[in-house]
Amino acid sequence: KTSAARILARVINCNDRKDGEACGKCESCLEVSEGRSMDIIEMDAASNRGIEDVRNLKEKAYLSPSKLKYKVFIIDEVHMLTKDAFNALLKLIEEPPKHAIFILCTTDAEKIPDTVMSRLVRVDFRKGSKEELKKSLDKIIEGEKIKIEESSVDFIIEKSDGSFRNLHRMFNEMILSFGNELSLNQ
């Protein structure tokens, strides 16, 4: 979800979009992709969950973007905010500055107050099917010329719980630990 939010931040700030996709080459795209943009602000609501944290966000929201067209605020684990913090956030998203976009990410949408949810566009992500996960992993295996038993591929896919991030993280850890030849016997 957070990765998708970052991709959206890049797309909306791209200076040379083609068919709704970011070019990946303009200064805005590079700045966002490399994580060096001061106009993309991420907040982990699991650690920064109080009203003061949202007030701090509000102060930043009313400042104009330094380089990009839009300031994008990505609030991860938003369901962890306190009641008072949600009320402060509600006031901000009801009348946001024209140059600010808020992306709220959560694994538990039911904990977001209805008053906040009613002002959002909700996008639900589903878990990847075994076939989709295998296709994604096969691209890496082929591209990196990794030798791996089919049973190991199945094991990694099963342990990923339908998450592409978990799949890639586990696979990367295995490669770093065991090298480019993998089997369940290791």
Side-chain angles (χ1 to χ4, degrees), residues 4-22:
R6 291 182 191 120
I7 291 167
L8 179 60
R10 188 177 68 189
V11 169
I12 62 176
N13 280 298
C14 178
N15 296 323
D16 194 25
R17 273 189 299 232
K18 300 273 192 275
D19 299 321
E21 296 288 328

Side-chain angles (χ1 to χ4, degrees), residues 125-143:
F125 289 82
R126 63 173 175 76
K127 291 184 177 186
S129 69
K130 288 182 181 182
E131 294 79 24
E132 291 167 328
L133 293 164
K134 183 168 181 2
K135 186 176 178 181
S136 176
L137 193 55
D138 283 346
K139 281 184 184 177
I140 297 168
I141 291 167
E142 186 179 317

Side-chain angles (χ1 to χ4, degrees), residues 2-18 20-35 37 39-40 42 68-74 101 103:
T2 309
S3 297
R6 291 182 191 120
I7 291 167
L8 179 60
R10 188 177 68 189
V11 169
I12 62 176
N13 280 298
C14 178
N15 296 323
D16 194 25
R17 273 189 299 232
K18 300 273 192 275
E21 296 288 328
C23 71
K25 298 174 185 167
C26 70
E27 182 56 33
S28 294
C29 281
L30 295 174
E31 194 173 303
V32 174
S33 294
E34 294 168 5
S37 175
D39 295 324
I40 309 299
E42 293 188 37
L68 303 178
K69 290 182 232 174
Y70 296 99
K71 270 189 149 171
V72 180
F73 295 86
I74 302 169
I101 295 173
I103 303 173

Side-chain angles (χ1 to χ4, degrees), residues 8-178:
L8 179 60
R10 188 177 68 189
V11 169
I12 62 176
N13 280 298
C14 178
N15 296 323
D16 194 25
R17 273 189 299 232
K18 300 273 192 275
D19 299 321
E21 296 288 328
C23 71
K25 298 174 185 167
C26 70
E27 182 56 33
S28 294
C29 281
L30 295 174
E31 194 173 303
V32 174
S33 294
E34 294 168 5
R36 57 183 169 89
S37 175
M38 294 179 62
D39 295 324
I40 309 299
I41 297 147
E42 293 188 37
M43 181 177 112
D44 176 16
S47 306
N48 305 287
R49 53 190 308 257
I51 191 168
E52 285 304 317
D53 298 304
V54 175
R55 285 181 180 154
N56 183 30
L57 201 69
K58 187 176 182 177
E59 286 177 21
K60 292 176 184 174
Y62 283 101
L63 296 174
S64 295
S66 61
K67 285 188 180 178
L68 303 178
K69 290 182 232 174
Y70 296 99
K71 270 189 149 171
V72 180
F73 295 86
I74 302 169
I75 306 173
D76 199 17
E77 302 298 335
V78 72
H79 66 275
M80 300 291 287
L81 290 178
T82 65
K83 183 180 178 185
D84 289 339
F86 266 122
N87 287 334
L89 181 63
L90 177 63
K91 290 178 181 168
L92 182 56
I93 63 175
E94 281 180 328
E95 296 181 27
K98 291 187 186 314
H99 61 265
I101 295 173
F102 297 90
I103 303 173
L104 312 182
C105 302
T106 184
T107 53
D108 200 350
E110 289 71 35
K111 290 185 179 176
I112 299 174
D114 290 339
T115 52
V116 174
M117 283 299 290
S118 68
R119 286 154 177 87
L120 303 175
V121 173
R122 181 174 172 162
V123 178
D124 289 316
F125 289 82
R126 63 173 175 76
K127 291 184 177 186
S129 69
K130 288 182 181 182
E131 294 79 24
E132 291 167 328
L133 293 164
K134 183 168 181 2
K135 186 176 178 181
S136 176
L137 193 55
D138 283 346
K139 281 184 184 177
I140 297 168
I141 291 167
E142 186 179 317
E144 297 296 323
K145 297 176 179 46
I146 294 169
K147 293 180 182 168
I148 184 169
E149 295 174 354
E150 199 62 34
S151 59
S152 298
V153 171
D154 293 339
F155 176 79
I156 296 167
I157 290 170
E158 199 63 41
K159 293 293 181 185
S160 72
D161 191 34
S163 166
F164 287 95
R165 180 186 297 173
N166 290 349
L167 177 78
H168 293 165
R169 189 190 77 245
M170 283 189 304
F171 187 69
N172 191 42
E173 287 172 2
M174 290 177 76
I175 296 299
L176 291 173
S177 297
F178 302 110

